[in-house]
Amino acid sequence: MNQPVADSRGATQVSDQLRLRDFIASDHVRRALLVLFSSIIFVTIILSFRPFNASSDAPRITGGDAVNQIGFITLLVISGFMMLTQVSSRKLRAVASPAWILALGAMAVAVYMSNDSIAAGRALALALISAFVALNIIMVPASVRDFRAVLVLTSTLVIVISYIGLVLFPDAAVHSSGGYEAQHEGLWRGPFRHKNIAGPIFSILTIFGVYIYRSGDKAMGVVIALLSFIFVLKTGSKTTTGFLPMAIFAILTARLFGSSKTAIFTVIITFLGAALLSVGTVYSENLKTITSLFLDDTTFTGRDDLWHFGIDNVLTRPFFGFGFDNFWQTDMVKNGVIPAYSKWDFLNIVHGHNSYIDTMLAFGFVGGPIIIFVVYILPMINYVRAYNDPSKRHLADMFMMVIAFTILLSLMEAFVLSRSDPIWIMHIFSVFGLQILARTHKNHASERQFQSFK
């Protein structure tokens, strides 16, 4: 008498298990899980594996960090698996280009030219792993809507973690009066090591908010942009605060005048003006006088001496440079003589506060222009190509706003190929985004289908 009841229960259990399996295997659940995993990975590479770990006020750690290295290798394996199982071969081919092959060749030469090729190779490997993980964030989401969800979730988590950190970890999240940069006391840095990292990252989150707003989610876009911009202001960075609206306005001119080339022209003119009024002041008192009309500190907190020293040394090894990660923090510099023009002892500085000069120091006039072309000029070309497809314009605008911002920021900070630096990650993330948009077929259908990435 009990056998039919037992059989009925068994059949019900099997049926429930099949329904659960079908639910998990359904497209909606798969896409939701990909959004969740991509967001967690994105937050991790932005905040690093050591958030709120500002044990000193040094803006950047030069040596290897075992926790970070192991963490990023783990993310490399996870990202590789997700790429192989979730991304089509056509989508993957959109990333490859002759320019990148040349750039990888220039990187190999720079590692060989370094005094410690093993250490330089490790540093470059971490920078490339970071780039690959950033590429995964773009490639894996199945639609533009899913990708936008990744941006919303990532931005929200970074903002929430950062603001909570101000309350729970004030000593780490806010610059103190100790250390060698006591003048930064009270300025926010959140989970990052320095305000010069926090400011640019929250500027880019502001750009994400602008994109989210323009894509239809107006309330969330406003919240993300507003909270991010408040954080930028609290970092106290005048240059970052100035560069952000310049970058946004430059790209919005494409909509005002109906031409992506107008936006690129605006970016170039803005960059040239900023370069003349910053690096140009090293060689021209007239330019320094003009700069003084806008800024009280025409030395840019001593950066002018770094730029002068860096340019002088570029000319001493013009062809192949000093090698990758082989100038600042080397004995040659640390044990050198402070130049007569310098107003402070900068010989122990960790980078030259200018990505263009540091790139030329590492790669010389042979490899340097190749790297600069790939990470700065090629994205502008790709933006013009992507803009021809109306369904891609909002996304192309977002990526190009980030590039325009980092093009300007590169005059003040050195981050290109800088290991797992979150600014480098955000920059290369946008470089890849524009390349994928530019190298896919035109599609005038709705953005929601994400066919622009297929």
Side-chain angles (χ1 to χ4, degrees):
M1 293 295 294
N2 294 330
Q3 186 66 32
V5 175
D7 290 345
S8 176
R9 288 175 178 173
T12 300
Q13 290 175 351
V14 170
S15 178
D16 290 342
Q17 291 173 355
L18 289 174
R19 279 197 295 269
L20 178 61
R21 186 189 67 184
D22 291 341
F23 175 75
I24 294 174
S26 68
D27 185 60
H28 291 296
V29 174
R30 181 185 66 84
R31 289 169 60 177
L33 289 174
L34 289 176
V35 167
L36 179 61
F37 290 151
S38 296
S39 301
I40 292 172
I41 292 173
F42 205 3
V43 171
T44 302
I45 61 177
I46 291 172
L47 300 184
S48 84
F49 289 88
R50 289 184 180 275
F52 301 106
N53 190 43
S55 56
S56 73
D57 283 338
R60 191 163 285 137
I61 296 172
T62 58
D65 183 328
V67 173
N68 236 23
Q69 291 171 356
I70 294 171
F72 271 86
I73 290 173
T74 302
L75 291 182
L76 172 65
V77 173
I78 295 172
S79 298
F81 176 78
M82 293 173 72
M83 285 267 208
L84 290 173
T85 58
Q86 302 298 327
V87 180
S88 68
S89 59
R90 180 185 299 178
K91 206 170 176 182
L92 289 171
R93 285 195 299 271
V95 183
S97 73
W100 273 105
I101 295 174
L102 286 175
L104 290 172
M107 294 175 201
V109 171
V111 168
Y112 175 78
M113 293 294 295
S114 177
N115 290 336
D116 188 346
S117 295
I118 294 176
R122 285 200 300 264
L124 177 61
L126 184 53
L128 295 178
I129 289 171
S130 301
F132 181 81
V133 176
L135 174 63
N136 178 75
I137 307 301
I138 302 171
M139 300 286 269
V140 167
S143 70
V144 164
R145 179 180 290 177
D146 291 353
F147 179 71
R148 194 156 52 238
V150 171
L151 294 183
V152 170
L153 184 55
T154 298
S155 301
T156 302
L157 287 173
V158 173
I159 290 169
V160 169
I161 291 170
S162 298
Y163 275 93
I164 289 177
L166 295 171
V167 178
L168 298 183
F169 313 108
D171 292 339
V174 180
H175 278 280
S176 65
S177 58
Y180 76 101
E181 291 181 315
Q183 71 273 20
H184 297 330
E185 181 184 7
L187 299 179
W188 292 5
R189 61 185 169 195
F192 305 100
R193 290 191 301 273
H194 198 272
K195 73 180 189 68
N196 289 346
I197 299 176
I201 292 302
F202 276 95
S203 295
I204 293 169
L205 293 184
T206 303
I207 292 171
F208 288 176
V210 171
Y211 164 69
I212 293 164
Y213 175 88
R214 295 179 73 202
S215 297
D217 194 347
K218 297 186 182 302
M220 184 58 72
V222 168
V223 170
I224 289 173
L226 184 60
L227 290 177
S228 298
F229 189 64
I230 290 172
F231 210 103
V232 172
L233 294 175
K234 300 298 283 187
T235 65
S237 175
K238 295 179 182 178
T239 51
T240 300
T241 305
F243 287 157
L244 175 59
M246 288 181 189
I248 294 174
F249 173 77
I251 304 309
L252 289 181
T253 59
R255 290 302 172 98
L256 292 175
F257 296 98
S259 171
S260 57
K261 294 179 181 178
T262 301
I264 297 303
F265 177 77
T266 306
V267 171
I268 293 172
I269 292 299
T270 303
F271 166 77
L272 291 176
L276 287 172
L277 297 179
S278 55
V279 180
T281 62
V282 172
Y283 301 101
S284 172
E285 288 298 323
N286 291 332
L287 290 173
K288 184 173 290 188
T289 299
I290 296 173
T291 301
S292 67
L293 300 176
F294 306 97
L295 295 173
D296 295 331
D297 181 12
T298 58
T299 72
F300 297 90
T301 59
R303 284 176 171 87
D304 58 342
D305 289 339
L306 295 176
W307 301 333
H308 196 168
F309 185 71
I311 293 171
D312 285 349
N313 279 276
V314 167
L315 299 177
T316 65
R317 292 194 185 180
F319 296 108
F320 295 101
F322 289 84
F324 188 77
D325 203 28
N326 193 48
F327 185 74
W328 304 106
Q329 286 289 296
T330 62
D331 290 339
M332 176 187 64
V333 175
K334 291 193 294 184
N335 298 331
V337 178
I338 302 171
Y341 55 75
S342 179
K343 297 172 287 294
W344 64 295
D345 181 359
F346 59 79
L347 297 180
N348 286 301
I349 202 76
V350 296
H351 60 79
H353 280 281
N354 186 296
S355 290
Y356 306 105
I357 296 173
D358 277 14
T359 297
M360 297 305 293
L361 283 167
F363 296 92
F365 284 96
V366 175
I370 297 173
I371 302 298
I372 289 172
F373 175 80
V374 166
V375 300
Y376 293 112
I377 300 173
L378 186 58
M380 292 190 279
I381 297 172
N382 286 332
Y383 172 68
V384 173
R385 291 173 178 168
Y387 198 83
N388 291 328
D389 185 347
S391 71
K392 301 177 182 178
R393 287 179 179 172
H394 280 166
L395 196 52
D397 282 348
M398 183 200 77
F399 287 133
M400 192 60 225
M401 283 180 189
V402 175
I403 296 295
F405 172 73
T406 51
I407 283 174
L408 296 172
L409 184 68
S410 293
L411 292 168
M412 298 290 157
E413 301 297 334
F415 56 83
V416 170
L417 291 171
S418 181
R419 295 182 174 87
S420 57
D421 188 320
I423 306 175
W424 158 245
I425 290 171
M426 289 295 209
H427 178 85
I428 198 64
F429 168 78
S430 301
V431 169
F432 285 142
L434 286 171
Q435 181 159 333
I436 294 168
L437 285 176
R439 300 192 67 188
T440 50
H441 297 294
K442 280 189 176 183
N443 171 53
H444 298 282
S446 169
E447 261 192 338
R448 289 175 297 179
Q449 299 303 314
F450 206 53
Q451 291 175 3
S452 57
F453 268 19
K454 289 183 179 178

